[in-house]
Amino acid sequence: MLSNSIGRNLPWLGTLKRKTLQTSLAVILPVLSASAMAESLTIGFSQIGSESGWRTSETESIKAEAERRGYDLKFSDAQQKQENQIKAVRSFISQGVDGILLAPVVETGWDSVLKEAKRLDIPVVLVDRGVAADPSLYLTKVASDFKEEGSLAASWLAAETNGRCNIVELQGTVGSSAAIDRKDGFAAVIENFPNMNVIRSQSGDFTRAGGKEVMESFLKAEGDASNICALFAHNDDMALGAVLAMKEAGVEPAKDIIVLSIDGVPDIFKAMMDHEANATIELNPHLGGPAFDAILAHRDGKEVDKWIKANGPLYLPDTAEQEYAKRK
Ligand code: GZL
């Protein structure tokens, strides 16, 4: 079809035999498609902050992927404040970027700024967390199923403790989809075990300092650790902070209290090698590729799924050394 149209519109081509034309097309088309692939985009990326080792890995991975593709990535670190993220998204919109990546610190409060982007047909891709907004307001979400992570964590703990365990829980950032859904997924499983109970639960805001501070308060409130069977932390950084608090209180982490968390950052594998952590569920930080591909697909007029999932497996100390070597 294309060969006919080229023949009609370029008379000099008319003298070429079909074979020659097909040869020409065989040369031209790959170049065209390659240049379409190498289309240089300008992308705005509103990142939450640098509260955890995982967050830093995610930022570095997305920046590296943009670099690899030759994109102009405009990066904003919101220091974990939603108002800074909204300001950054508005700035990207006024700069007329080709697409926006948003890691939403909390679930609510995004409708108006997402509508502003939609009005100008600037696709917004949610990376790593979700929003409580009309899905038509964003192109897609590239994130794990946090409920699945929570239920995987609880299922492992139930098997590990024969369904008998008093648990203290370090929740992530209040109002974040990661914290809300990990907590719900975990609770939905342990409610099937009458002798498994979350006896204390509080937010450590996904940071090491927060995890340490809250774990200190749990130990103080309990008087000693004998009534605590396990810690479930919504991320490794809070678990590592809690491990410090346990050691300062003379409690042996991973022995006196099981240490279970999520992210799979290098330091949690190091803690396993030091016999100070028991299990982690990997969270994939490499979200740039799927996010950028979704924007390209949108530009090509293709349908994009509303949720591009990337759940990871649970790791135990028996493979910690090789996992640490891969990640450090
Ligand atoms: C989850 C992500 C969480 C990580 C934490 O996708 O939003 O935020 O589990 C990070 O390490 O702070």
Side-chain angles (χ1 to χ4, degrees):
M1 190 67 78
L2 180 60
S3 54
N4 294 337
S5 61
I6 285 185
R8 264 201 308 280
N9 302 329
L10 298 170
W12 54 269
L13 262 186
T15 57
L16 287 176
K17 291 191 177 50
R18 172 172 294 280
K19 190 160 177 50
T20 315
L21 179 59
Q22 280 165 346
T23 308
S24 313
L25 283 175
V27 171
I28 293 169
L29 286 181
V31 172
L32 281 179
S33 58
S35 64
M37 274 301 289
E39 180 188 9
S40 173
L41 299 179
T42 299
I43 304 285
F45 177 18
S46 171
Q47 177 58 294
I48 291 172
S50 51
E51 75 284 357
S52 70
W54 183 87
R55 180 72 50 200
T56 306
S57 301
E58 183 197 41
T59 295
E60 286 164 1
S61 176
I62 290 176
K63 284 182 174 176
E65 181 62 20
E67 176 87 20
R68 190 181 73 78
R69 292 176 182 228
Y71 291 174
D72 173 11
L73 187 78
K74 299 185 178 303
F75 178 76
S76 158
D77 175 328
Q79 311 285 320
Q80 285 182 270
K81 291 183 176 57
Q82 180 175 30
E83 63 268 23
N84 291 344
Q85 289 201 280
I86 291 172
K87 267 188 222 141
V89 172
R90 288 210 161 105
S91 165
F92 299 148
I93 292 169
S94 64
Q95 294 173 61
V97 297
D98 298 306
I100 294 170
L101 267 54
L102 169 65
V105 61
V106 292
E107 280 192 332
T108 55
W110 302 100
D111 292 67
S112 54
V113 74
L114 291 175
K115 281 175 187 156
E116 291 164 34
K118 188 168 175 72
R119 250 196 307 279
L120 296 173
D121 193 24
I122 297 178
V124 175
V125 174
L126 304 179
V127 287
D128 123 62
R129 290 186 189 173
V131 296
D134 178 350
S136 71
L137 292 178
Y138 55 87
L139 178 59
T140 186
K141 173 176 77 170
V142 182
S144 285
D145 183 330
F146 303 128
K147 284 189 180 172
E148 273 180 24
E149 293 173 336
S151 61
L152 175 57
S155 304
W156 174 82
L157 188 60
E160 190 69 13
T161 60
N162 297 317
R164 178 176 295 279
C165 191
N166 281 341
I167 304 145
V168 292
E169 179 181 31
L170 286 170
Q171 297 179 38
T173 301
V174 175
S176 69
S177 60
I180 292 166
D181 290 350
R182 283 171 180 165
K183 181 171 176 37
D184 290 352
F186 188 85
V189 169
I190 64 160
E191 74 186 17
N192 300 304
F193 297 88
N195 296 315
M196 290 187 82
N197 302 289
V198 174
I199 56 173
R200 292 186 187 280
S201 182
Q202 193 179 325
S203 175
D205 205 21
F206 281 133
T207 67
R208 288 196 190 201
K212 182 173 187 290
E213 192 183 317
V214 174
M215 189 67 210
E216 282 163 353
S217 72
F218 286 165
L219 290 167
K220 195 154 174 273
E222 287 296 321
D224 66 45
S226 59
N227 186 38
I228 303 174
C229 147
L231 161 68
F232 169 50
H234 291 185
N235 83 330
D236 295 339
D237 280 68
M238 292 191 291
L240 292 163
V243 162
L244 279 181
M246 291 178 201
K247 288 161 74 173
E248 286 173 6
V251 175
E252 279 202 71
K255 291 181 192 64
D256 299 336
I257 297 178
I258 292 168
V259 178
L260 161 63
S261 56
I262 300 172
D263 276 357
V265 296
D267 285 349
I268 201 67
F269 292 105
K270 182 72 177 60
M272 286 184 190
M273 291 158 68
D274 296 340
H275 310 290
E276 295 180 350
N278 300 90
T280 187
I281 293 167
E282 182 177 48
L283 179 71
N284 179 0
H286 308 300
L287 306 181
F292 296 140
D293 288 346
I295 291 171
L296 288 175
H298 174 72
R299 292 168 69 83
D300 287 348
K302 292 184 188 129
E303 273 302 301
V304 177
D305 289 344
K306 272 298 169 191
W307 186 359
I308 299 168
K309 272 190 205 176
N311 272 62
L314 181 138
Y315 288 97
L316 299 171
D318 60 337
T319 60
E321 193 164 347
Q322 67 218 49
E323 292 305 328
Y324 180 66
K326 269 195 261 178
R327 290 168 171 75
K328 69 175 191 304

